Amino acid sequence: MRKTILALCLVCAAPAAFAQEALDKCAQTEAWFNLAVDSRKLGETEIAVRRTLRADMGRDAADQLVAFVYALPEEHLTHDVGALAREQCEGL
């Protein structure tokens, strides 16, 4: 009986653990966007920011994120960009 209850608990906990992992991934996505926004506002070059983010997120994803942030008009360089990226991620 204990083994059955333990197995049931593990099955029930798996979706919760998966959901938490997805939320953590979305929080990290927001942090990456905010890093790129802040770096651009501080005058960092696009190449330097790509190099920094590639180590964490891989080449293609980092290149796309940095290209997006560096294409934004100056007035859009706020942490709202990161918050919107997080919202979109959480909606997937």
Side-chain angles (χ1 to χ4, degrees):
M1 181 70 157
R2 281 191 214 183
K3 290 182 181 180
T4 304
I5 292 172
L6 179 59
L8 183 59
C9 288
L10 291 174
V11 169
C12 291
F18 179 75
Q20 184 59 47
E21 185 178 313
L23 290 176
D24 292 345
K25 177 184 169 190
C26 294
Q28 182 60 59
T29 298
E30 179 178 15
W32 285 327
F33 271 89
N34 288 340
L35 174 72
V37 166
D38 291 342
S39 296
R40 180 177 165 198
K41 287 169 66 175
L42 291 170
E44 292 290 328
T45 66
E46 193 171 341
I47 293 168
V49 179
R50 274 192 203 137
R51 191 177 308 123
T52 299
L53 289 176
R54 282 178 181 172
D56 285 339
M57 59 187 312
R59 183 183 184 111
D60 291 339
D63 290 355
Q64 289 175 20
L65 187 153
V66 172
F68 172 80
V69 168
Y70 276 75
L72 289 172
E74 290 265 340
E75 62 270 13
H76 291 179
L77 293 177
T78 68
H79 284 193
D80 289 344
V81 173
L84 290 171
R86 183 180 188 152
E87 283 180 34
Q88 183 178 12
C89 176
E90 290 173 349
L92 297 177

